Amino acid sequence: MTGEKAVVGVHYEAGYERHDTGRGHPESAVRYRVLREALTGLAPEIVRLPGRVAMVEEILLAHEAHYHDLVYRDVEDFADVLRTGDTAISIESYEVAREATGAVLEAADAVMRGEVRRAFCAVRPPGHHATADRGMGFCIFNHVAIAANYLRTQHGLGRVAIVDWDVHHGNGTEDIFVEDAEVLYLSLHESGSYPGSGGAGDRGRGTGIGATVNLPLSRGSCGEIALAAWDETAGPALDRFQPEFVLVSAGFDARQGDPLGGLHWDDETFVRLTRRVVALAEKHAAGRVVSVLEGGYDPTGLASAAMAHVRAMR
Ligand SMILES: [Zn+2]
């Protein structure tokens, strides 16, 4: 802790457990509950941040209106799965997804107002696979993409970096900003894993060339490999970009033992990546970081890695 304001804010809420993905689904309410109960134990060290429901206009900062309406209708029609892809839904999923986005925007506001320096938002459903017009991969609305555009439109920021270390490539986030030079999307992910995108040669399109950085990692590789890729490529690219705000798509499914991931990171890997992100933000972005939960499907491993991440944000 520094002598000034609280450094780290954390948002979590039992309400996210209303998003019911069905029996045996890896992105489960149980997974979330284990994480939430662990985060509760952090109370003396952090500030707990409130949430809110994102306005429809805010959802439309990164999504097509017809896709927003489709989500609303599919939920109202009691569909089990979003018709655009592999995202299980239940009767409260539309509302919960809007709450998840709203919490991330609220955290961005808290950081911009200087109430906290950094924040971690434990929300669900996750977001980074959702494109402007398609939900997939357990995702409905792309919270991080919406937040990047919110920071630009509501807070007048110029350059926002998105660091995505979920084991899966964030195809949705890349797609939304693929032609955008002012949002740098950087992904460390398992090569060849779902959804199959994120090749090292994919560097953006048109005016956005160079503002997409993909670092696919070999299946079975350990955290040292990821950290070396960071130091060799990610760190210098982010340094050149000079972001005014850093968003993190913080999946913890690259952790050893995750049922959906094939990498072998440990908690220390997440600590060291977090410290690199914090150092980058301190150098260019007045320390401003908002980190958002994406994947992580071994409940105990998720809780352990996320706690290590939050503690390293101080
Ligand atoms: Zn993932």
Side-chain angles (χ1 to χ4, degrees):
M1 292 284 288
T2 60
E4 40 177 50
K5 295 161 224 126
V7 174
V8 180
V10 176
H11 170 79
Y12 54 88
E13 206 66 70
Y16 297 113
E17 291 153 38
R18 287 149 44 228
H19 169 58
D20 181 2
T21 48
R23 186 187 290 267
H25 196 289
E27 204 289 278
S28 66
V30 170
R31 147 199 195 256
Y32 185 82
R33 195 181 67 228
V34 172
L35 170 62
R36 177 172 59 78
E37 286 171 355
L39 291 170
T40 307
L42 278 176
E45 304 171 48
I46 51 102
V47 173
R48 186 165 170 200
L49 297 175
R52 67 173 172 88
V53 182
M55 293 184 289
V56 173
E57 308 87 82
E58 291 169 335
I59 299 296
L60 302 188
L61 287 168
H63 293 285
E64 305 284 348
H66 70 86
Y67 171 64
H68 164 272
D69 298 347
L70 175 155
V71 173
Y72 180 80
R73 277 200 312 275
D74 278 0
V75 168
E76 287 289 299
D77 291 347
F78 299 101
D80 295 327
V81 179
L82 212 55
R83 87 184 81 154
T84 59
D86 50 340
T87 298
I89 53 173
S90 63
I91 195 63
E92 300 225 52
S93 296
Y94 169 75
E95 201 61 30
V96 175
R98 276 181 60 184
E99 290 168 18
T101 297
V104 175
L105 302 184
E106 189 70 16
D109 284 338
V111 169
M112 289 306 296
R113 284 194 299 258
E115 292 167 18
V116 291
R117 204 162 175 84
R118 291 177 272 283
F120 174 64
C121 299
V123 296
R124 67 185 283 270
H128 73 152
H129 294 305
T131 71
D133 63 358
R134 184 181 177 202
M136 56 183 275
F138 315 161
C139 302
I140 297 177
F141 298 135
N142 194 321
H143 322 300
V144 163
I146 292 166
N149 283 338
Y150 178 82
L151 285 162
R152 299 198 292 172
T153 58
Q154 295 300 307
H155 291 285
L157 295 188
R159 293 175 312 283
V160 177
I162 299 172
V163 172
D164 184 338
W165 65 52
D166 188 278
V167 81
H168 305 104
H169 178 244
N171 61 295
T173 314
E174 175 177 306
D175 192 63
I176 288 164
F177 299 111
V178 72
E179 296 190 24
D180 197 327
E182 305 301 314
V183 176
L184 180 77
Y185 176 70
L186 186 142
S187 178
L188 290 162
H189 53 269
E190 180 186 337
S191 178
S193 184
Y194 179 92
S197 49
D202 296 342
R203 301 182 55 250
R205 250 194 341 249
T207 51
I209 287 178
T212 295
V213 180
N214 281 303
L215 299 172
L217 304 165
S218 302
R219 185 174 176 81
S221 61
C222 64
E224 293 299 329
I225 304 291
L227 291 160
W230 180 282
D231 292 341
E232 193 180 308
T233 309
L238 287 160
D239 245 343
R240 282 193 299 274
F241 182 70
Q242 301 185 353
E244 294 165 82
F245 202 106
V246 184
L247 295 163
V248 181
S249 266
F252 297 95
D253 39 10
R255 190 178 186 275
Q256 191 155 8
D258 190 279
L260 300 194
L263 298 184
H264 292 283
W265 296 7
D266 57 16
D267 290 349
E268 187 60 19
T269 310
F270 292 102
V271 166
R272 290 164 71 188
L273 283 172
T274 303
R275 290 200 178 123
R276 282 160 167 79
V277 167
V278 168
L280 170 89
E282 289 291 346
K283 186 170 171 190
H284 299 290
R288 300 185 288 228
V289 179
V290 168
S291 168
V292 181
L293 176 66
E294 299 280 1
Y297 303 102
D298 165 28
T300 316
L302 163 64
S304 176
M307 295 281 281
H309 168 56
V310 171
R311 290 196 160 114
M313 286 215 287
R314 288 180 294 178

